[in-house]
Amino acid sequence: MNWLMAVLLVAALGGAAPPRTHTVEIRGMEFHPAELTVAPGDTVVWINHDFVAHDITEEHKAWNSSPLAAGASWKRAGGTAAAAACSWSMATVTFSTISAGVSLAACAVR
Amino acid sequence: MLVTLALVAVTALQAQKPAAAPDLTDPEVAHVAVTANAIDIDLAKFAQTRTRTPAVRQFAQTMITDHSAVNAQAAALAGKLGVTPADNAVSQSLQTGAADARKSLEPLQGAAFDRAYLDREIGYHQAVLDAIDKLLIPTTDNAELKKLLVDVRPAVATHLEHAKHVRSELGGASGK
């Protein structure tokens, strides 16, 4: 009985899992991973491994990072309903959407 | 024009050594890389003085920023390796092509300039990609220099796609 209760308790708490931090590496002008699902409260850290600077921009330009030089990183707490997008130091990229609970994040030059 | 010149340079070098990739020394490869970046930076600076189109201005700024970053890495690596870049036929053909391109752009204004600049950038980045793949990477001996070229390639490819995207938004016939 106690075991069953423990399982139920874990299941109940499952919806309120502690926030996680996800790392997205920018390498070769691409996001790695190219797709990412985040939960409310999660944080995403981008690290730029390219020589050239990149920035991270919300899909509708609600926010964006400053340019990330080679080796620099930038983080933003996720979990809001707002979609996020990636961009390089240019506008010709497809969107990387990071939204609460559900996500599709594919960043590639279009 | 530059595409032609670069390909002529590659072809000429291949003709000298038909059985193998053209044989540039690592200092010569470094010189080609630095020259290729400097040429695009210079033309972008000129474009910024001439264009009034935000997308073209942004593209030119990206070229200045990105190619400056690459050259900083190349200079740092050359310093680390104790390599002094050495002038060579490929670098010279790139410079000749750059001078010709600048000459053809000089008299143009407005939309005609924007289109001609983007056409030139498309051709240039395609030529540089070809040179990276067919000449520079195959002929480089030093592993770190080779890795720098491999790492830079995606940025050049992205620039090419960026140039094509901006060019398509400008409309008009190629070279007009």
Side-chain angles (χ1 to χ4, degrees):
Chain A
M1 180 63 77
N2 287 342
W3 179 83
L4 177 58
M5 289 183 67
V7 170
L8 290 173
L9 183 59
V10 169
L13 291 173
R20 295 179 55 197
T21 296
H22 308 267
T23 300
V24 178
E25 297 186 76
I26 305 172
R27 193 187 302 278
M29 311 298 279
E30 295 176 342
F31 277 160
H32 300 276
E35 298 185 12
L36 178 67
T37 300
V38 300
D42 284 1
T43 295
V44 180
V45 179
W46 287 267
I47 303 174
N48 180 22
H49 294 291
D50 281 340
F51 295 146
V52 300
H54 296 305
D55 62 6
I56 314 297
T57 305
E58 195 271 339
E59 181 176 358
H60 303 292
K61 303 186 187 304
W63 51 259
N64 73 291
S65 71
S66 56
L68 276 65
S73 64
W74 186 76
K75 69 180 179 180
R76 183 170 181 89
T80 68
C86 71
S87 79
W88 311 119
S89 53
M90 49 185 266
T92 51
V93 294
T94 51
F95 290 136
S96 165
T97 303
I98 302 172
S99 55
V102 183
S103 167
L104 56 103
C107 187
V109 177
R110 65 186 173 197
Chain B
M1 177 62 77
L2 180 61
V3 180
T4 305
L5 285 167
L7 292 178
V8 165
V10 171
T11 305
L13 287 165
Q14 286 171 332
Q16 291 168 15
K17 291 181 176 295
D23 191 16
L24 293 181
T25 65
D26 284 0
E28 288 173 334
V29 169
H31 196 278
V32 170
V34 170
T35 300
N37 282 301
I39 283 171
D40 209 48
I41 293 168
D42 287 346
L43 193 63
K45 288 179 177 175
F46 172 64
Q48 287 197 321
T49 68
R50 186 62 61 92
T51 186
R52 291 189 293 275
T53 306
V56 176
R57 184 178 297 277
Q58 183 193 31
F59 173 83
Q61 184 58 51
T62 299
M63 296 306 103
I64 293 169
T65 303
D66 286 2
H67 287 287
S68 296
V70 172
N71 258 2
Q73 289 290 330
L77 179 59
K80 175 187 172 186
L81 298 176
V83 168
T84 301
D87 198 6
N88 59 88
V90 176
S91 291
Q92 290 163 11
S93 91
L94 289 172
Q95 286 164 335
T96 301
D100 289 345
R102 174 67 180 263
K103 190 180 299 180
S104 67
L105 288 169
E106 280 283 357
L108 302 178
Q109 301 285 342
F113 173 83
D114 289 346
R115 288 194 292 267
Y117 170 57
L118 267 302
D119 284 342
R120 145 78 188 182
E121 286 296 281
I122 291 168
Y124 184 71
H125 281 85
Q126 186 61 64
V128 170
L129 273 183
D130 289 345
I132 289 173
D133 291 339
K134 299 172 184 174
L135 173 63
L136 301 180
I137 289 176
T139 200
T140 299
D141 294 321
N142 181 272
E144 288 185 85
L145 181 57
K146 193 184 287 279
K147 183 178 186 303
L148 183 139
L149 295 167
V150 169
D151 289 347
V152 163
R153 191 190 188 285
V156 178
T158 301
H159 290 171
L160 176 60
E161 295 305 313
H162 189 182
K164 288 179 177 176
H165 177 77
V166 175
R167 180 64 184 85
S168 70
E169 292 190 334
L170 294 174
S174 179
K176 302 296 179 186

